[in-house]
Amino acid sequence: MLETQNTQAVKTLDLKMYINGEWTNSSDNKTREVINPATGEVIAQAAEGTVADARAAIAAAKEAFESGVWSDLPTVERAAYLLKIADKIDEKAEELAALETMNNGKPLREAGFDMGDAAACFRYYAGMITQPDGETYHVADPMQAMVVREPVGVCGLIVPWNFPMLMSVWKIAPALAAGNTIVFKPSEVTPVTPTKLIEIIEEAGVPKGVVNMVHGAGPVVGNEIASHKDVDMVSFTGGTKTGKHIMKAAADNMKKISLELGGKSPNIIFADSDFEVAVDYALFGIYCGSGQVCSAGSRILVEESIYDKFIERFTERAKQIQVGNGADPETEMGPLVSQQHMEKVLSYIESGKQEGARLLFGGERLTENGMDKGFFVAPTAFADTTQEMKIVQEEIFGPVVAIQKFKDEAEAIHLANDTDYGLAGAVFTVDGAKALRVIKKLRAGITWINSYHPTYNEAPWGGYKQSGIGRSLGTYGLDEFQEIKQININLEVEPVGWFKN
Ligand code: NAD
């Protein structure tokens, strides 16, 4: 619940947890400060969940699941709740977008798109579950085989800070649609809109115990969710290192896992592309969201005959990007999400300099025009980078791009695939056959031709290699939250006769 406290100089929100239909403080009454990354101000105090709180939430979700209060509902009734949630998100979209900007830092325009997508995601899954499903198989007489889909049970949902609302919805909407009960942990850095979302879910009348939310630290609350034996599945979005930890923690009771992890995605630009379109999308690919987007086009590979021209135009355009507080409608790029994250990004920039990459522009923290209070880093690009450099191999998750040249199609494909990640990638060329040839060779789950970044509720989202396991969104996103059961019916009820009487 969001309650405003007026006792401090800056009005702060009081973010409680939601366990078994009750808004609660942490069991040890501790709280954590939540910061506006554009101003450094404390905007909220969030209950700091404990292992005991996580266990209480898991117990509530288990009881609600076993009661059938949610999983036994006819799908049209479950869909009606989801549609109500979608309508409420739409009604409050402006307020939600402002809160998202205040907590995450992203420009208002981006936050507005996220709220529209969030409502649409609930509607999409509401529609899907009211469609016919299941299969029947013609097997040997007198048997009839069929397949039904069932919820997995108690699902632990753990999300990051880069799209606080949208990443929550990508999990909550399909998990609820499939009939599961949930224990949800937002990022401790951005709990504001996730809390608001749970308030909306409560207002929509979802029965108590079906949706539970625990705030707090990953190694405490997240780890408990990932390892607890009564959690049947953990669906995680976040860094690859944390994903490996979740996989290990989930192994003990063989939980179902779904992991949406990091990326180091290549954006391949051929000489025969529409040059201005390619430059425009290359900027959007890396600097949208201040580069804090899992699918960011953080490596730009350019065919050598247009390499210098590309660098010149890319630099000219990037220098015009308006950096500032996302609440200002003129702002095109906001701050990084936290001081800690800003320091990590700046350390990667340092490593790029030390490893001998050519710094084209940016490369520093921005402090003018009041930005000194927040966590702003200038749009940054390195050219002439090479494969062994850290800034080419590791996810920076900031407004920092590595630009490299390639001589032909084979080299472009080799460079593109030569990292541990495999989340996304794009190709720019007007030669359709070449575009498809190259895309088919990319070891990545999300790809674009002559575009970058658009994401659809209808299409599966997820990575190859160390970018994850499983898919969000689309029909695949619902599959993740379902078990498949085969039912075999004997149409002639007679003994099998295998053993002599
Ligand atoms: P993170 O891995 O640090 O944290 C993600 C979530 O995991 C948070 O809620 C955190 O509290 C929790 N967590 C941390 N340690 C944990 C532990 N030991 N056990 C259980 N939970 C734990 O990631 P982040 O910094 O919040 O987000 C950035 C990362 O997310 C980037 O790597 C980005 O690429 C990735 N991401 C991926 C996708 C995708 O769809 N593939 C989407 C968005 C973000």
Side-chain angles (χ1 to χ4, degrees):
M1 184 166 349
L2 300 164
E3 281 170 4
T4 309
Q5 293 182 342
N6 294 313
T7 47
Q8 299 177 18
V10 182
K11 275 191 190 175
T12 60
L13 302 166
D14 173 19
L15 308 179
K16 295 193 190 304
M17 302 187 287
Y18 188 67
I19 300 174
N20 206 19
E22 302 288 334
W23 291 96
T24 98
N25 291 320
S26 148
S27 59
D28 63 7
N29 273 317
K30 291 214 171 100
T31 57
R32 177 190 292 255
E33 288 184 344
V34 181
I35 309 287
N36 178 339
T39 63
E41 286 167 335
V42 176
I43 53 169
Q45 295 285 344
E48 181 69 6
T50 61
V51 167
D53 295 321
R55 288 183 184 163
I58 293 165
K62 186 177 181 213
E63 196 185 326
F65 184 72
E66 287 174 355
S67 76
V69 65
W70 187 249
S71 56
D72 288 352
L73 283 184
T75 49
V76 279
E77 284 184 33
R78 241 188 278 144
Y81 283 106
L82 302 187
L83 293 172
K84 224 186 263 181
I85 296 166
D87 288 347
K88 284 179 185 291
I89 294 173
D90 277 345
E91 278 163 29
K92 300 179 188 204
E94 226 172 285
E95 176 199 348
L96 290 167
L99 289 170
E100 195 77 312
T101 293
M102 186 171 81
N103 190 183
N104 166 278
K106 63 177 65 191
L108 263 180
R109 186 161 68 130
E110 283 178 36
F113 276 113
D114 291 357
M115 299 313 140
D117 281 354
C121 187
F122 273 104
R123 291 199 179 96
Y124 175 71
Y125 282 111
M128 188 178 294
I129 54 167
T130 53
Q131 298 302 307
D133 74 351
E135 299 135 44
T136 60
Y137 294 98
H138 189 85
V139 293
D141 284 341
M143 299 299 290
Q144 175 64 50
M146 64 186 201
V147 165
V148 294
R149 288 161 178 269
E150 297 182 346
V152 177
V154 173
C155 295
L157 314 178
I158 303 174
V159 302
W161 46 255
N162 64 335
F163 290 81
M165 179 74 161
L166 203 54
M167 290 301 104
S168 306
V169 169
W170 281 16
K171 296 192 185 306
I172 293 175
L176 289 184
N180 300 285
T181 59
I182 66 173
V183 179
F184 163 54
K185 192 196 98 56
S187 166
E188 57 275 39
V189 184
T190 54
V192 175
T193 54
T195 306
K196 195 77 190 161
L197 173 64
I198 300 303
E199 219 175 88
I200 285 173
I201 290 173
E202 182 190 39
E203 280 171 26
V206 172
K208 83 178 175 92
V210 173
V211 172
N212 303 275
M213 176 186 62
V214 186
H215 293 306
V220 180
V221 173
N223 181 62
E224 188 61 18
I225 294 170
S227 53
H228 198 288
K229 70 173 175 34
D230 290 337
V231 175
D232 301 292
M233 169 179 181
V234 61
S235 174
F236 168 79
T237 300
T240 294
K241 198 167 153 216
T242 318
K244 289 178 186 177
H245 177 84
I246 300 263
M247 219 171 157
K248 286 180 192 148
D252 267 353
N253 75 328
M254 205 59 80
K255 271 185 193 59
K256 203 171 177 205
I257 50 171
S258 161
L259 305 173
E260 297 284 354
L261 310 176
K264 191 74 190 178
S265 301
N267 193 354
I268 305 170
I269 299 174
F270 283 97
D272 62 1
S273 61
D274 182 314
F275 183 75
E276 286 299 324
V277 169
V279 171
D280 195 54
Y281 271 108
L283 289 162
F284 184 56
I286 182 61
Y287 299 124
C288 170
S290 308
Q292 303 168 117
V293 179
C294 55
S295 54
S298 51
R299 292 185 294 139
I300 303 177
L301 306 174
V302 187
E303 193 163 2
E304 62 187 357
S305 61
I306 59 161
Y307 185 72
D308 292 336
K309 181 178 160 200
F310 177 88
I311 282 176
E312 192 184 326
R313 183 71 177 131
F314 186 80
T315 303
E316 188 186 355
R317 289 278 316 269
K319 284 186 170 168
Q320 292 166 27
I321 293 174
Q322 294 283 324
V323 184
N325 187 330
D328 177 345
E330 296 300 310
T331 293
E332 295 178 308
M333 197 183 102
L336 296 180
V337 78
S338 66
Q339 168 136 14
Q340 194 190 7
H341 187 57
M342 176 183 72
E343 280 162 10
K344 182 177 157 199
V345 170
L346 289 171
S347 80
Y348 271 112
I349 292 174
E350 242 359 87
S351 112
K353 290 177 187 166
Q354 275 166 22
E355 285 183 301
R358 174 160 62 105
L359 181 67
L360 293 174
F361 53 84
E364 80 259 309
R365 180 178 182 180
L366 296 176
T367 51
E368 71 274 21
N369 303 326
M371 286 193 274
D372 56 324
K373 305 250 169 13
F375 316 124
F376 294 88
V377 170
T380 298
F382 285 101
D384 308 343
T385 56
T386 51
Q387 278 315 98
E388 71 290 350
M389 290 178 180
K390 258 169 75 166
I391 57 164
V392 170
Q393 291 296 330
E394 296 181 18
E395 184 184 47
I396 301 173
F397 221 52
V400 183
V401 72
I403 308 178
Q404 263 168 281
K405 69 172 83 151
F406 66 84
K407 60 177 181 314
D408 57 20
E409 209 175 302
E411 188 181 21
I413 293 164
H414 169 73
L415 294 174
N417 286 333
D418 185 26
T419 76
D420 288 339
Y421 294 106
L423 189 60
V427 174
F428 285 81
T429 167
V430 291
D431 177 342
K434 178 160 73 180
L436 199 50
R437 223 165 38 231
V438 175
I439 283 286
K440 286 186 72 178
K441 293 281 182 201
L442 284 190
R443 302 280 300 148
I446 307 152
T447 63
W448 297 278
I449 293 174
N450 294 323
S451 181
Y452 209 99
H453 272 330
T455 308
Y456 304 98
N457 284 317
E458 296 83 350
W461 181 272
Y464 289 17
K465 303 197 281 183
Q466 294 193 28
S467 288
I469 295 175
R471 293 292 179 270
S472 297
L473 302 179
T475 54
Y476 300 86
L478 188 69
D479 290 350
E480 295 285 335
F481 290 103
Q482 293 179 319
E483 290 284 13
I484 304 291
K485 179 178 281 172
Q486 63 163 289
I487 302 176
N488 298 294
I489 310 158
N490 188 351
L491 303 178
E492 286 173 14
V493 186
E494 287 181 358
V496 61
W498 187 267
F499 297 109
K500 286 190 200 115
N501 220 331

